[in-house]
């Protein structure tokens, strides 16, 4: 298949991004039932940033009508750090949390994201070592949105949750044979918190909670999906 071709994992693509490397997205349905999304991110076991020309992203997100807020991790070639980026009406704003760096012993990152109000979201990230012990400083903060807002009814936010992984060029040149890679990464223990039952419902691609999932540039990315996990490998070779 050609670069930027789309391969559906479930029900096709909601949108089609180009110029940002091979990547994949998974979207839940629009709902007021789920108040937060959870995942345990297994950090990739092999990385190559093509001489610093690509940034790696592994992220959850929250989407409303005309707004999407990426909430997750970035690696610019040295360490994983929390990052967020909001896009609404073609306008974007983002920030890297440089004071919350993953220690070298970190193998995983637990992440929780949730809407707090129509203009605020919350992100929690805690890095873990191979024994499951907390390492580094947890990021646990509300984030006030700059250019966007959600809709709500009775104080309950209506939104969709999503996740993605990508290796994005930072020089405007998306050469998908540049040798960059991000392999051995996983989202595991995927859960959406059901406010009605006070339990987490799984949101793997095969579940009814997921409505759409797709890959872009499938010759350079592979994704394996289960009821509560994704495994992904990106290889720009």
């Amino acid at each position: 298949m050609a670069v930027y071709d789309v391969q559906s994992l479930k029900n096709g693509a909601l949108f089609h991004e180009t110029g940002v490397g091979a990547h994949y997205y998974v979207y839940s349905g629009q709902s007021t039932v789920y108040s937060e999304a959870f995942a345990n991110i297994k950090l990739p076991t092999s990385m190559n940033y093509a001489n610093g020309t690509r940034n790696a992203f592994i992220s959850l997100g929250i989407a409303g009508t005309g707004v999407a807020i990426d909430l997750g991790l970035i690696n610019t070639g040295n360490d994983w750090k929390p990052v967020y980026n909001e896009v609404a009406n073609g306008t974007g704003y983002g920030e890297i949390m440089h004071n919350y760096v993953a220690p070298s012993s970190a193998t995983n990152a637990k992440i929780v994201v949730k809407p707090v109000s129509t203009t605020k979201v919350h992100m929690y990230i805690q890095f873990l070592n191979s024994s499951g012990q907390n390492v580094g400083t947890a990021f646990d903060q509300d984030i006030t949105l700059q250019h966007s807002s959600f809709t709500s009814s009775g104080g309950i936010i209506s939104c969709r949750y999503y996740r993605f992984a990508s290796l994005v060029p930072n020089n405007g040149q998306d050469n998908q044979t540049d040798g960059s890679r991000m392999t051995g990464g996983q989202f595991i223990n995927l859960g959406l918190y059901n406010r009605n039952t006070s339990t987490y419902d799984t949101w793997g691609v095969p579940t009814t909670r997921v409505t759409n999932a797709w890959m872009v540039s499938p010759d350079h990315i592979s994704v394996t999906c289960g009821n509560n996990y994704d495994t992904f490998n990106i290889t720009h070779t």
Side-chain angles (χ1 to χ4, degrees):
M1 301 178 76
V3 171
Y4 305 135
D5 278 355
V6 174
Q7 182 171 318
S8 176
L9 295 169
K10 188 174 188 178
N11 297 331
L14 295 173
F15 53 86
H16 185 195
E17 291 183 333
T18 60
V20 294
H23 60 277
Y24 85 107
Y25 276 94
V26 177
Y27 265 74
S28 76
Q30 189 88 14
S31 177
T32 58
V33 172
Y34 295 106
S35 60
E36 68 181 40
F38 170 85
N40 185 340
I41 297 171
K42 179 182 176 183
L43 301 176
T45 54
S46 181
M47 301 290 304
N48 184 299
Y49 301 91
N51 296 316
T53 61
R54 287 189 184 267
N55 297 332
F57 293 88
I58 307 173
S59 187
L60 299 185
I62 309 172
T65 303
V67 54
I69 302 97
D70 301 340
L71 298 153
L73 298 172
I74 185 173
N75 196 324
T76 60
N78 296 306
D79 305 287
W80 293 99
K81 302 173 184 178
V83 65
Y84 87 96
N85 184 64
E86 60 177 275
V87 178
N89 302 317
T91 302
Y93 177 83
E95 184 177 352
I96 300 173
M97 311 306 179
H98 292 287
N99 293 329
Y100 300 87
V101 180
S104 59
S105 60
T107 60
N108 292 62
K110 287 185 177 180
I111 179 171
V112 178
V113 303
K114 58 185 176 181
V116 176
S117 68
T118 58
T119 58
K120 190 177 294 184
V121 296
H122 190 91
M123 178 167 64
Y124 170 85
I125 294 179
Q126 174 64 63
F127 294 107
L128 310 172
N129 64 17
S130 59
S131 298
Q133 298 172 323
N134 294 345
V135 293
T137 302
F139 180 87
D140 189 12
Q141 295 182 19
D142 286 346
I143 297 169
T144 300
L145 305 178
Q146 302 292 316
H147 303 105
S148 54
S149 63
F150 295 103
T151 59
S152 69
S153 176
I156 297 176
I157 305 298
S158 177
C159 68
R160 306 178 80 161
Y161 296 97
Y162 61 91
R163 60 185 178 273
F164 69 90
S166 59
L167 264 177
V168 179
N170 56 33
N171 61 0
Q173 304 297 315
D174 188 19
N175 173 14
Q176 293 195 14
T177 61
D178 61 10
S180 59
R181 68 179 179 276
M182 176 166 61
T183 60
Q186 289 184 296
F187 289 96
I188 58 177
N189 301 332
L190 293 161
L192 297 177
Y193 190 76
N194 187 319
R195 66 174 77 248
N196 296 330
T197 63
S198 299
T199 58
Y200 282 95
D201 295 335
T202 59
W203 63 304
V205 171
T207 69
T208 58
R209 263 77 61 188
V210 168
T211 62
N212 297 82
W214 67 97
M215 302 184 294
V216 175
S217 295
D219 284 351
H220 299 285
I221 182 171
S222 64
V223 180
T224 304
C225 308
N227 284 339
N228 66 350
Y229 73 89
D230 302 333
T231 299
F232 56 88
N233 297 282
I234 296 173
T235 53
H236 292 142
T237 56

